[in-house]
Amino acid sequence: MSDAIVPKGQPVPGDPEKKGWLFKWTNYLKGYQRRWFVLSNGLLSYYRNQAEMAHTCRGTISLLGALIHTADSCTFVISNGGTQTFHIRAHDEVERQSWVTALELAKAKAIRAQESDDDEDQMATGPVAVGGGEGETEDAGGIARELAARFHDLRTCSELVARHGAALQRSLVDLEVPPTDTTKQVSERATLFRISCNAMMNACSEFMSAAAASSARMSRALQHEREQKMRLQEVVEQLARQHDTLEKTVTARSTPHAGYIGGNGSGQGNDTEDEDHEFFDAVEEDVTAAMDDKNSFVIKVPVNRKNKVKSGESSDESEGETVTETQQVIFVEDKERGENNMGGTEANSDNDANINKQADNKEQNIVIWPHVSQVPVSMVDGHPRRTRVPDKPNYPLSLWSIMKNCIGKELSKIPIPVNFSEPLSMLQRLTEDYEYSSILDQAATFTDPAQQLAYVAAFTVSSYATTACRTNKPFNPLLGETYECDRMADLGWRAISEQVSHHPPMVAQFCEGQAGWQCWQEFTMTTKFRGKYLQVIPLGGASAMFPSSGNKYTWRKVTTTVHNIIVGKLWVDNHGDMDIIGESGPAAGYVAHLKYLPYGYFSKDTQRKVTGVIKDPQGVPRYVLQGHWDDRVEVAAVTSTSADNTVCKTGKFTVAWQRVPAPPDSDKWYNFTLLAAQLNEPEESVAPTDSRRRPDQRLMEEGLWDDANTEKLRLEEKQRGARRELEAAAEAAAASGAPAPAPPKPQWFTRAAAPGHAHLRHLYNHRYWECKQRAHWPDCPDIF
C-alpha cells in the first residue's frame, strides 16, 4: 500500500495523490467491506479492486465543502451535506491519521481552486486573451497565485502540527500523573516546536507581502506592454486598409492597359483561395471603364455540372464534391439599354411573348402579401398578437457552476443549460425562413423561368438575414415534436414542421402560400469543431414549386460558421456555394449559382457579400444577382453577352429583397424580429406535440431559467426512458423469436420516394390541417 502524498504541485491528471486499501461501510447485512480507494484532484473514489480502475468506479465523493471527522481510533467519516456519506475504517490509527491528513490537504486545494476560478475567467477574457503567445499566460499574477497556494499548504501543515502537538502533550500528561522530568522536557520541546512553526509562518507571510507588491508592479508593466501591442496592431490594420485603397486606385488607373476577361479553369466549386491572384487578358476599353461602377463584378461559375451533387440524393449521403470546370465571367451595367432583356431577334420575340404572359398573369389576381411589420392588426385566439417577448434576464453564466454540477454524472446525462439557448425550438427557427415570403409571391407572378429563379434565389438569401445577430442556439426538438404556423389570414402562408428523426436529428417541413407556391425541406446537418470556431454544414435539401406553371427548384443551404467559441464575442458568417437547380416544368435546366463570400480580414470585397448568376439550359447568363445576406439583394437582366459568355452587360439593378430593421429594443429580448417574437405565442387549437406547449421553453421565455433547466432535464430523461423501453422490447422480441416492435413513425410526413426520384424522402401527407379543423389528435405521442 502506498502512503505517499504528492508534496508539491498539482498531480498529473490520472496520477493519484493517495491510494490504498480501506474498509467501507456498505449496509447492516454486509457491514464493512474491503475496497480500493483513490484520492485524486479533490475527489475520493473507490473500487472493488485495483483492476476496476480502468473501467468501473463504484462511487465518488467531492471533497469541496465536505466534512471530515474521526469517529474512533480507526474510523473516519466524510459527508458532503447529507447527499453522500462515507464511513471508512483503516487498519490502525496511524493509517487513519495518514488518510485524514491527505484528505484535509486535498480539500484545501479544492477550495482554493474554486476561489481562484473567477480570477482565471478574468485572465482568460481580459487583456491576456488578446495576445496569441503562450508566454503571456504565465504572468506575475500567476506566479503570485502559485506562491499563495504553497503558503496555504504551509499554513495547513502548521495547523496540523499544532493540533497533533497539543494532543501529544495531553496524552503525556494523562499517562504520567504527577508529571515527571521527561514529560516536562517533551512538553517544553513541543512548545518550542510550535513557536518555531509560528516564526516560520510569519516569515512566509512577510515574503508573500513582498511578492504581492512585486507582482503588482510587474502586472502594471505587463499591462502597459499589452496596450502598446494593441496600438501597434491598430496601426498595422490601418496601414493594411490604406494599402488596399492604394492598390485599388492604381488598378483603376491602369485599366485602359489591362482589362478583365473570363478564362476557363478547373477546381473545386467552392474554391476561393486563388481569386486574388488571377490574371486576365485585355478587352474593350468601354467594358474596362465600366468596371469602376459599383454594380460591376466578376464571378467564377461552374460550366460542367455532371459531377455536382444531384438534387435527388438522400440527405444522409456523402456531401463531397468532385472537381468541376469553372469559368470567369465579368458583369458590367449597360446604362444605355436600361432594363431591356437579352439582345437579338430571338430574344426580342421571347420578350414579346413574356409581356403577353405577364398580362395573362394579371388576370390571375395574384396577391403580394405584406411583411409582418406592415400588417395593421394581426389576431390570434380573439386578441391582437404580441409584439415582443419578455426581456432576457441578466443571469451570470459561471462555467464552474455548470461543471461542478456534472461531477459524478454520466456524460450522456449532462444537460446543456438554457443559458446558451433562445426561447425558440429549431422547428420555429426554420419557420423564420418565410419571414420574407412576399419574394415568393412576387416570383409567382413571373412566367419567365430565369426571372422567377432570380427571385427564388433572393428568397434563399433572405433566410440568413437574422443570423448575423442571433448567436444563441435554439432548443433541440424532441422526437415527434411539431410546430405549426398558420398565417394565411395576414401573411398569406402556413407551415407545418415535425422532428422525424432523433439519431441523426432531422426536421421535415412543408409550407404553402396563397399566391400559388409550395416549399418543403428536409433539414439535417453535421458539425465540425475547429477549436476557435464551429462549422454547421447542412446536409438536407430544400425545394420550391409553383403548381400553376409546374416549375420546381431545389437547393441546399450553405455552411454557417460560429467564431470565437472559446474566448471573445460570438459572431456568425455564412459562406460557400449554392446551386439552385430547375428540375421540372419550363424551368428545367435553368441554374442559379450563388457565391457567399467568406469573411476575409484583408478581403477587397465588402463583408457578407453574395453574388450570383442565373443561366438558361444552353449556359447563357440571363440574370445576375448581387447584395449582402444581412441587408438586401438586387437583380438585373443580362442585356448582351460576348461570344464565349465571359463578358456580360446588364440592365438596371432592382431591389428583390430589402431587410426590415429589427425593433429598436430587440437587443433586450434575444435580438428577435417581430415574426420571431410571435412564433412562440400560445395558441389553443395547436397539436399536443406543438413547440408552444413545451414547458422548459415556456419557462425560459418567462425568465424562470432554473425551473427551465430542471424541466429540460426531465423531458430529456423521459425521451431516453422511452428509447430504453423500445430497445428492451426489441431485445425481448428477438429472444423469443417474435417480430420486433415498430419504431415510432412521423405523424404528418411519410418516408417515401418522390415522383421521379429513387431516394427516400419525408413527404408531407396533407393530414395536419384536416385534423386541426376537427380538433382530432388521436395518434399524437405524449412527449411533454
Side-chain angles (χ1 to χ4, degrees), residues 366-380:
I366 295 179
V367 178
I368 309 299
W369 290 83
H371 184 264
V372 62
S373 62
Q374 301 171 345
V375 177
V377 178
S378 179
M379 306 295 292
V380 56

Side-chain angles (χ1 to χ4, degrees), residues 434 483 494-498 508-512 517-521 748-749 763-764 766 769:
Y434 302 99
Y483 178 73
R494 65 182 183 182
I496 173 65
S497 307
E498 183 178 6
Q509 185 184 70
F510 181 84
C511 183
E512 55 189 342
W517 53 265
Q518 296 177 353
C519 286
W520 59 92
Q521 65 175 320
W748 317 113
F749 292 84
L763 306 178
Y764 179 51
H766 298 276
W769 302 111

Side-chain angles (χ1 to χ4, degrees), residues 93-371:
E93 185 176 1
V94 175
E95 187 180 29
R96 173 193 65 84
Q97 191 57 49
S98 174
W99 273 97
V100 170
T101 303
L103 292 170
E104 291 285 359
L105 287 174
K107 174 183 175 182
K109 290 182 180 180
I111 294 174
R112 187 171 62 251
Q114 183 188 26
E115 291 174 349
S116 62
D117 180 66
D118 294 337
D119 295 337
E120 292 176 359
D121 289 342
Q122 293 177 1
M123 294 299 296
T125 58
V128 176
V130 175
E134 296 179 359
E136 294 185 6
T137 59
E138 295 189 11
D139 59 353
I143 299 174
R145 285 194 298 274
E146 183 70 16
L147 291 174
R150 302 297 160 254
F151 178 67
H152 193 280
D153 291 343
L154 288 174
R155 185 183 297 276
T156 303
C157 292
S158 176
E159 293 174 354
L160 290 173
V161 168
R163 187 191 311 168
H164 297 322
L168 178 60
Q169 284 182 312
R170 288 194 300 268
S171 299
L172 289 174
V173 172
D174 294 339
L175 286 174
E176 298 185 11
V177 179
T180 63
D181 293 338
T182 304
T183 304
K184 291 180 180 181
Q185 188 177 5
V186 172
S187 179
E188 290 174 357
R189 290 183 179 179
T191 303
L192 289 175
F193 185 71
R194 288 201 305 273
I195 294 173
S196 300
C197 288
N198 291 334
M200 180 188 66
M201 294 304 300
N202 292 334
C204 290
S205 179
E206 293 174 358
F207 173 75
M208 283 301 303
S209 300
S214 176
S215 173
R217 289 192 298 270
M218 294 175 63
S219 297
R220 288 193 296 269
L222 186 59
Q223 180 64 26
H224 175 72
E225 293 298 327
R226 291 199 187 98
E227 293 174 356
Q228 291 290 96
K229 179 181 177 181
M230 290 299 298
R231 283 193 287 269
L232 180 60
Q233 186 175 354
E234 292 174 358
V235 171
V236 172
E237 293 176 3
Q238 185 177 3
L239 289 175
R241 289 192 293 267
Q242 292 176 355
H243 178 271
D244 183 54
T245 303
L246 289 174
E247 185 181 11
K248 289 182 179 179
T249 303
V250 173
T251 304
R253 290 182 180 179
S254 61
T255 49
H257 305 285
Y260 293 85
I261 191 171
N264 290 336
S266 63
Q268 292 289 343
N270 57 355
D271 185 14
T272 60
E273 295 180 358
D274 298 331
E275 290 185 357
D276 295 338
H277 305 283
E278 296 171 354
F279 299 90
F280 311 100
D281 299 328
V283 292
E284 302 173 358
E285 293 186 3
D286 58 342
V287 174
T288 58
M291 279 299 297
D292 294 335
D293 190 88
K294 66 178 182 179
N295 291 330
S296 301
F297 51 91
V298 179
I299 304 179
K300 183 190 292 184
V301 298
V303 295
N304 186 356
R305 301 184 50 80
K306 64 181 181 180
N307 291 331
K308 298 290 286 184
V309 175
K310 297 181 181 180
S311 60
E313 286 189 12
S314 176
S315 59
D316 54 359
E317 293 182 1
S318 174
E319 59 164 338
E321 294 185 353
T322 56
V323 176
T324 62
E325 294 183 8
T326 59
Q327 184 181 61
Q328 202 81 22
V329 182
I330 179 174
F331 293 89
V332 295
E333 184 176 357
D334 186 2
K335 298 183 179 180
E336 297 180 358
R337 303 188 62 173
E339 298 180 353
N340 292 338
N341 207 330
M342 290 285 296
T345 306
E346 182 179 353
N348 290 334
S349 61
D350 292 341
N351 192 31
D352 294 339
N354 286 335
I355 294 175
N356 294 332
K357 292 180 180 179
Q358 294 284 1
D360 296 338
N361 246 356
K362 293 181 179 178
E363 298 178 359
Q364 299 177 8
N365 296 325
I366 295 179
V367 178
I368 309 299
W369 290 83
H371 184 264

Side-chain angles (χ1 to χ4, degrees), residues 676-714:
Q678 297 174 352
L679 290 178
N680 201 43
E681 186 171 8
E683 295 186 26
E684 297 179 357
S685 58
V686 297
T689 53
D690 197 277
S691 298
R692 298 177 181 86
R693 302 185 185 273
R694 182 165 175 165
D696 54 346
Q697 186 173 303
R698 181 66 59 193
L699 289 169
M700 182 193 177
E701 181 184 288
E702 295 172 354
L704 305 175
W705 285 16
D706 291 339
D707 296 339
N709 281 320
T710 303
E711 192 65 20
K712 183 173 182 290
L713 181 60
R714 182 190 68 83

Side-chain angles (χ1 to χ4, degrees), residues 503 719-735 740-741 743-744:
H503 291 293
Q719 183 171 244
R720 295 190 193 100
R723 185 172 67 250
R724 286 193 295 265
E725 291 179 1
L726 183 63
E727 293 172 353
E731 292 178 359

